[in-house]
């Protein structure tokens, strides 16, 4: 038997987390040990992630590294395996994790072992979500992943953390119940809980719509899509910095992953039929949340609202039904994970110094923290989608592809590039530029070595993905092509270009440029 | 060589930017300026190879992105059109780098400034060497970023920050159109490769596709969308509002970015895609009208501005309008000709203005100038040459004159020769705008260098005289008095001529302003020489050029007459009877206010876009998210579950977390336990 790398990646942080809860010693000593163990574990995970990528056959759409351990026959077994889409998202998770641990190094002071354990538990569950190939195993991981997040917000959060975690909980509850019912139905009809099998199973068209809607209830909340997005700003505002990073970086991607793993391949007819719903909500989301972001006075809230707008690009891309749009969506997911994660880190950096997220309390930060200002500018520009950064590649591919499905949707969504520039530059100006009006800002020191260690890797990957993104797209090409083929068979819309008959020539219809 | 030329400025920017204080001012300046001079030298060699040899090629650099059939690579394309842009960009940029040694000498942040300048140059070079629309867009946004950073270079000035954001956001409106244009091009052509698009555009003539639910002509729609991008970058009417405000940036920046290079990117784009535009005559008509309207609009506004940089900014805007209507009537070679000559004389005018501002201790209001002719003679002569060039002074029919004489007159003649209605309108507007150009340019000269000194009224001058340690590195609050205080006299101030590093670039650019028209007239616009020179790098219309060279004599004379008339009006109002201008303004106060407020575009946009956007943002947040979604969503549910205090207590006890955990485990267990039985029962 091969080395069960996926199981190890899930169980290692779980074991390390359990160990942290049993640490002996006094408070300070425990905290220090916990930090180092957590960092060590997440770094090992990162190395395992790299090994995983290196051993992955990027040309294939098949699930790889498959493992099966029967637990409760015939359903609910420990079945793991990844395709390219899972791979890149696992890579994102293990990349962000050590950075989160570092970001919490000094800012978290109470119950450190428990905090680190919660993060390690979350890492295990995140990898589990992306690696599970069994329906119920996926469900447990998917819903279970929220529990450490509730804890992180509810225990280590800000002033209003109870309300935030309560809201988060309420929203996700409804969706998860419907999804579970839908899964039970699917298993009873298809006779299998194996995700790869279900991905090519043809459900009756009438049933597809109901199943699609049940899954939609869960995924739309996770994305989050308008109008079920209001938990996100509160959750972000109350969460500690690293919590925000993981929330924006990975948890929001679970919704998109759900759509691409379940809704599109399993219910292609329903996806095509309900495209209008997704496009409609996404178009509203981009304009609505971008405008709301413009009016925010709290840094984290502003970035949270911008996340909702960016995730709307993901949904537009997923339902653009062609190679460019889907690959673009995945790149937006990766890019947003990095960029908004980095932006939350940037907020965290100044929050640690001034202990406020009020934009008005800042101003002139560039004077005292010029190095910080460079990073903040880079990530703000990546968020705006400047070519050369990861933000551009994703959004551009999404719109390029979706243009073939709906020019209206792209026309509206594309206004997001104007609005994003407005709210991000407005934020940047109020924080970094101008003269220093708050004397406390004067005393702020520039980045520490630990903060560099967090921001530099992010910056490198953001630029790498902006200048040479192919390596990040390569693994997903084959699985995306399979999904697109299924959607095509379901009659996904495609633009026709008509050449009218000029005198002396014959009329012809050129099919939309590409798939 | 091409790679070296393009990437050297990037390398220099990285060294200067990251080295920053560690590197020190001098080293940062040497690295960036040195790199730019090498680039400029290589550009000129390239230019002669390409323009007068038969070199043209595309060098691949590396893969960029690939998705399905969509393939975009980083590559550098070299043909005559690119080569022309290369010399314009690198020449002006290297001179501006050199000039900034003097102009920015007292700034504490010099490495950052020079790094930005070099970064800009790199982005601009990527733009003009692009062989696909996406790389062009990269350069396009890259120069936008550099422009944003440089306008806001003095980031402690609120006005500079506002101007920087405005420039970026308004340009993004243009980019919105550009992006949609690229998506449409890919939809139709299946590629974003410029050579392929230009080569196959003709096949799509008359074709239609559905855009926004309407059946529309393919090529017209695509060209118009792309043109929206061009309008944004080149500050054409409607999307021009950012350019005058961009004058908040240091003056060398205005010369390089907002006069000679970046703002001409839109013109370059239309020329680069000229075969595509040629296949969309309706779009070209729009280009012509927009260009003509901008030429007129900006010239009228330029006549009443009192800030020396703003006058030149509106002048730039107006000249860009000329270039666009030249392209609109199909005279792409002429548009590029004016782009080139304009780069030299406009950079000269801006750097000259910078020298005046430097001499006058950062005073930019012409109302506080006067009589500077003898104080700063070198600058005076440079500005004179610039003015002679922009107003198009020359001997008509004999064909000898300054740069603008060749290029602007050629535009006007081409518009006439095109024979279309739009062309004729553009011709008429062009002639009238030439009168206005002459008027505002001479007005600038007379107010600045002639008459009596009015320096005493200037705050900057008073600061200087009283040896007030004001922030030398410029960056004063914007000086915009509603009714400028005119106090005559020198106020005890002695203007000083700028140092040699600033004067050398002026001298070189002066040569360009004098000779570039004469030198490039035939290669760029001659019916036969042009075809030979451009060699298919743009849609060169030899017939139109032939006709343009042979328009009736009155057409050839009309810009000259307009130019002389404009000069006489300016001379009459500012030299002969200096009081007559204010009197005229008072008499026609409605017109004056209309022009002074720049046709009320800023006010209009403020109330139509900015205010509603902020209001909508607040309303959607308070009324939408909090007032509706939350109220009936989560908070409503809380109300149903029990009084919120009970719920809150339950939450605080940690009960909900346990509950959630139990629920999940329970559900999972139930599923695992019951399902097999359920299914077996089926």
């Amino acid at each position: 038997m091969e080395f069960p790398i996926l199981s190890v990646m899930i169980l290692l942080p779980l074991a390390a987390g359990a160990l942290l809860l049993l640490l002996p010693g006094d408070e300070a000593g425990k905290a220090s040990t916990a930090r180092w163990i957590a960092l060590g574990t997440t770094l090992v995970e990162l190395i395992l992630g790299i090994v995983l990528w290196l051993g992955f056959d990027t040309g294939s759409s098949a699930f790889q590294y498959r493992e099966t351990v029967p637990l409760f026959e015939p359903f609910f077994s420990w079945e793991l395996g990844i395709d390219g889409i899972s791979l890149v998202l696992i890579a994102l998770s293990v990349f962000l994790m050590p950075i989160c641990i570092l970001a919490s190094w000094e800012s978290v002071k109470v119950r450190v072992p428990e905090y680190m354990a919660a993060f390690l538990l979350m890492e295990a569950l995140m990898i589990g979500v992306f690696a599970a190939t069994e329906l119920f195993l996926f469900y447990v991981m998917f819903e279970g992943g929220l529990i450490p997040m509730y804890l992180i917000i509810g225990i280590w959060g800000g002033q209003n953390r109870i309300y935030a975690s309560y809201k988060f909980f309420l929203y996700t509850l409804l969706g998860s119940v419907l999804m579970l019912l839908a899964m039970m139905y699917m298993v009873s009809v298809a006779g299998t809980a194996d995700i790869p099998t279900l991905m090519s199973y043809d459900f009756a068209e009438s049933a597809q719509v109901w199943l699609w809607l049940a899954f939609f209830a869960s995924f739309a909340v996770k994305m989050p899509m308008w109008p079920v997005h209001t938990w996100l700003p509160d959750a972000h505002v109350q969460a500690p910095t690293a919590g925000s990073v993981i929330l924006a970086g990975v948890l929001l991607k679970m919704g998109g992953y759900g759509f691409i793993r379940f809704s599109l391949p399993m219910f292609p007819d329903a996806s095509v039929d309900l495209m209008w719903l997704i496009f409609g909500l996404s178009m509203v989301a981009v304009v609505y949340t971008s405008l709301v972001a413009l009016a925010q006075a709290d840094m984290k809230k502003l970035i949270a609202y911008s996340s909702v707008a960016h995730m709307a690009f993901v949904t537009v891309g997923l339902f653009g039904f062609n190679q460019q749009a889907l690959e673009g969506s995945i790149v937006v997911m990766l890019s947003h994970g990095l960029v908004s994660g980095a932006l939350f880190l940037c907020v965290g950096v100044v929050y640690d110094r001034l202990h406020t997220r009020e934009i008005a309390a800042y101003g002139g930060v560039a004077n005292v923290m010029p190095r910080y200002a460079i990073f903040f500018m880079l990530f703000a520009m990546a968020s705006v989608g400047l070519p050369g950064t990861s933000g551009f590649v994703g959004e551009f591919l999404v719109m390029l592809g979706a243009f073939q499905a709906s020019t209206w949707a792209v026309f509206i969504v594309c206004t997001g590039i104007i609005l994003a520039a407005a709210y991000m530059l407005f934020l940047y100006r109020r924080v970094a530029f101008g003269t220093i009006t708050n004397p406390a800002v004067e005393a702020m020191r520039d980045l520490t070595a630990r903060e560099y260690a967090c921001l530099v890797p992010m910056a490198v990957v953001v630029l790498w993905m902006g200048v040479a993104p192919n390596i990040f797209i390569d693994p997903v090409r084959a699985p995306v092509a399979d999904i697109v083929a299924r959607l095509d068979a379901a009659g996904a819309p495609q633009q026709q270009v008509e050449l009218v008959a000029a005198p002396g020539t014959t009329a012809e219809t050129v099919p939309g440029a590409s798939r | 060589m091409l790679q070296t030329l393009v990437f050297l400025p990037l390398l220099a920017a990285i060294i200067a930017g990251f080295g920053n204080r560690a590197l020190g001012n001098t080293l940062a300046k040497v690295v960036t300026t040195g790199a730019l001079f090498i680039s400029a030298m290589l550009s000129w060699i390239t230019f002669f190879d390409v323009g007068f040899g038969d070199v043209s090629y595309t060098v691949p650099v590396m893969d960029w992105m690939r998705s399905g059939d969509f393939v975009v690579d980083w590559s550098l394309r070299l043909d005559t059109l690119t080569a022309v842009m290369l010399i314009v960009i690198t020449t002006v940029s290297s001179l501006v780098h050199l000039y900034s040694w003097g102009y920015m000498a007292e700034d504490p942040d010099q490495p950052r400034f020079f790094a930005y300048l070099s970064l800009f140059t790199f982005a601009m070079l990527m733009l003009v060497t692009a062989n696909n629309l996406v790389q062009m867009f990269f350069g396009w946004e890259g120069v936008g970023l550099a422009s944003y950073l440089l306008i806001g270079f003095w980031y402690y000035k609120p006005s500079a920050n506002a101007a920087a954001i405005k420039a970026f956001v308004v340009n993004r409106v243009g980019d919105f159109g550009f992006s949609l244009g690229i998506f449409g091009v890919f939809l139709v052509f299946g590629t974003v490769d410029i050579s392929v698009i230009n080569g196959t555009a003709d096949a799509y003539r008359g074709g239609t596709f559905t855009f926004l639910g309407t059946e529309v002509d393919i090529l017209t729609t695509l060209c118009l969308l792309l043109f929206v991008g061009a309008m944004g970058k080149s500050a054409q009417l409607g999307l021009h509002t950012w350019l005058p405000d961009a004058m908040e940036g240091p003056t060398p920046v205005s010369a390089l970015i907002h006069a000679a290079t970046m703002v001409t990117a839109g013109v370059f784009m239309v020329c680069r895609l000229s075969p595509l535009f040629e296949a969309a005559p309706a779009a070209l008509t729009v280009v012509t009208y927009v260009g003509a309207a901008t030429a007129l609009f900006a010239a009228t506004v330029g006549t009443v501005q009192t800030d020396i940089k703003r006058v030149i900014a509106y002048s730039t805007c107006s000249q860009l309008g000329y270039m666009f209507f030249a392209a609109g009537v199909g005279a792409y070679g002429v548009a590029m000709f004016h782009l080139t000559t304009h780069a030299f004389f406009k950079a000269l005018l801006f750097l000259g203005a910078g020298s005046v501002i430097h001499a006058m201790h950062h005073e930019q209001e012409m109302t506080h100038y006067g009589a500077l002719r003898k104080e700063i003679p070198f600058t005076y002569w440079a500005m004179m040459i610039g003015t002679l060039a922009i107003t198009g002074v020359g001997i008509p029919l004999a064909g000898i004159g300054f740069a603008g004489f060749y290029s602007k007159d050629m535009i006007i003649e081409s518009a006439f020769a095109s024979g279309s209605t739009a062309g004729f309108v553009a011709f008429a507007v062009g002639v009238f705008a030439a009168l206005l150009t002459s008027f505002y340019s001479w007005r600038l000269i007379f107010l600045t260098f002639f008459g009596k000194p009015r320096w005493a009224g200037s705050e900057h001058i008073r600061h200087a005289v009283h040896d007030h340690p004001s922030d030398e590195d410029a960056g004063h609050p914007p000086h915009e008095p509603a009714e400028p205080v005119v106090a005559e006299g020198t106020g005890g101030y002695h203007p000083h001529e700028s140092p040699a590093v600033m004067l050398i670039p002026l001298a070189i650019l002066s040569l360009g302003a004098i000779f570039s028209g004469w030198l490039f007239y035939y290669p760029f616009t001659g019916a036969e020489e042009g075809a030979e020179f451009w060699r298919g790098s743009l849609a060169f219309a030899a017939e139109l050029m032939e006709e343009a060279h042979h328009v009736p004599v009155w057409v050839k004379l009309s810009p000259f007459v307009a130019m002389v008339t404009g000069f006489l009006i300016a001379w009459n109002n500012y030299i002969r009877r200096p009081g007559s201008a204010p009197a005229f303004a008072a008499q026609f106060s409605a017109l004056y206010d209309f022009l002074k407020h720049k046709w009320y575009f800023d006010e209009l946009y403020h109330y139509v876009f900015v205010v509603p956007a902020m209001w909508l943002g607040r309303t959607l947040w308070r009324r939408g998210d909090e007032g509706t979604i939350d109220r009936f969503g989560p908070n409503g549910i809380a109300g149903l579950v029990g009084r919120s205090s009970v719920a809150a207590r339950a939450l605080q006890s940690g009960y909900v977390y346990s509950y959630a955990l139990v629920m999940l485990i329970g559900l999972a267990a139930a599923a695992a336990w019951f399902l097999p039985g359920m299914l077996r029962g089926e």
Side-chain angles (χ1 to χ4, degrees), chain A residues 272-288:
Chain A
V272 171
D273 291 343
L274 291 165
M275 180 184 89
W276 60 272
L277 176 66
I278 298 283
F279 277 4
L281 293 179
S282 306
M283 284 151 76
V284 173
V286 169
V287 177
Y288 182 112

Side-chain angles (χ1 to χ4, degrees), chain B residues 304 439 569 573-574 579-592 595:
Chain B
V304 300
F439 170 75
I569 297 173
N573 284 312
Y574 295 96
S580 61
F584 182 85
Q587 199 178 348
F588 298 95
S589 61
L591 177 65
Y592 178 77
L595 295 180

Side-chain angles (χ1 to χ4, degrees), chain B residues 358-374:
Chain B
H358 191 77
M360 292 301 282
H361 212 265
H362 308 297
E363 179 57 65
Q364 299 190 11
E365 282 293 319
M366 297 191 299
T367 44
H368 297 309
Y369 291 168
L372 287 169
R373 187 169 73 248
K374 299 210 179 79

Side-chain angles (χ1 to χ4, degrees), chain A residues 75 136 143 163 166-167 188 229-230 288 305 324 327 367 384 407 417 434 466-467 469-470 477 495 498 500 513, chain B residues 64 66-67 69 74 155 172 186-187 206-208 210 212 218 617 620 625 630 635 638 657 661 664 675 679:
Chain A
F75 303 112
F136 295 110
E143 298 300 333
Y163 176 71
Y166 155 72
K167 215 168 164 180
S188 68
H229 64 281
T230 62
Y288 182 112
Y305 274 109
Q324 291 87 27
E327 287 177 7
N367 290 298
V384 167
T407 47
I417 71 166
V467 176
N470 282 339
R477 294 186 206 281
Q495 173 98 25
E498 280 190 34
V500 293
Chain B
W64 189 0
R66 182 163 56 80
S67 176
D69 299 340
W74 298 104
Y155 57 75
R172 274 264 156 157
F186 181 67
L187 174 74
T208 58
T210 312
L212 304 184
I218 293 173
L620 291 175
D625 269 22
D630 279 357
N635 300 356
Y657 307 123
L661 188 60
L664 279 161
L675 260 177
L679 295 170

